[in-house]
Amino acid sequence: MDVIELWNGRHACLLQSALRLTNEQFAARLGIAVRTVAAWHADPAVVPRKEIQQLLDTVHEKAPPTARQRFALLVSAERGASAPGPAGAQALRVAIAVVIRDSEVLLVCRRDDDATGLSWQFPAGVIKPGARAETATVRETLDETGVHCAIRQHLGNRLHPVTGVQCEYFLCEYLAGQATNSDAVENIDVMWVPRNAVTRFIPVDTIFPPVLAVLEEQT
């Protein structure tokens, strides 16, 4: 398990991502101002003061095992990308699949590690250094949901407004398979929902605009 000797903004954001908390939820967990969390996203190199270092240590130590494992994976990928190595090493990226079947889109319900409840998202997974984003998209969708899909279009990329992780978005076409929860550790449920109902499950201000545009087509 990775141990952080000195927390910086980037490590704090990775812990937030591992816990799957919004800026507000993470700030509440730490007992600090939301603007402090936002500052970490804006300046990953910033080093929090001693009291906050201790708060981050405590939150990390008390995190559930699944969250600690996610954090270790994120930190390991980050360190691997920043360390000297062969050409092609890359920063942490996540592949996100917007899988369309007729007028429906595929969503997964993530298992939150705190008492705030559940969160609905598009199928997603970490793109390992050197791997193709398209391959990760198709593989992670199958592993999470049992659904076979094919890449139709790259919708773009961005730093996620909540997690600060680099996200690659792909529009995918459904091929085959029954949607099932194939990852009971991470997820609660998998479901096809109408395109025009997605914003009932995912806050509209967190959805990537090109994804919204796709969802609005033919609805």
Side-chain angles (χ1 to χ4, degrees), residues 61-179:
E61 290 166 3
K62 293 183 177 180
T66 54
R68 288 171 64 92
Q69 290 170 4
R70 281 196 296 272
F71 178 70
L73 174 63
L74 295 173
V75 171
S76 178
E78 185 94 348
R79 287 175 175 172
S82 60
Q90 60 184 34
L92 177 67
R93 293 188 297 156
V94 171
I96 298 180
V98 182
V99 185
I100 300 295
R101 184 184 69 175
D102 298 325
S103 62
E104 298 177 311
V105 63
L106 186 64
L107 296 183
V108 298
C109 185
R110 300 290 189 199
R111 186 190 303 276
D112 277 359
D113 293 318
D114 64 345
T116 59
L118 310 172
S119 63
W120 287 90
Q121 303 174 17
F122 301 105
V126 172
I127 306 169
K128 295 180 180 179
R132 296 183 69 247
E134 293 83 353
T135 302
T137 302
V138 172
R139 182 190 65 247
E140 293 293 337
T141 299
L142 178 60
D143 289 347
E144 278 196 321
T145 71
V147 168
H148 295 267
C149 67
I151 302 294
R152 182 189 299 175
Q153 179 185 352
H154 181 224
L155 297 175
N157 59 75
R158 68 165 176 173
L159 286 177
H160 195 279
V162 175
T163 65
V165 172
Q166 182 71 32
C167 297
E168 298 280 350
Y169 294 83
F170 293 91
L171 175 62
C172 301
E173 180 181 0
Y174 168 80
L175 296 179
Q178 183 72 28

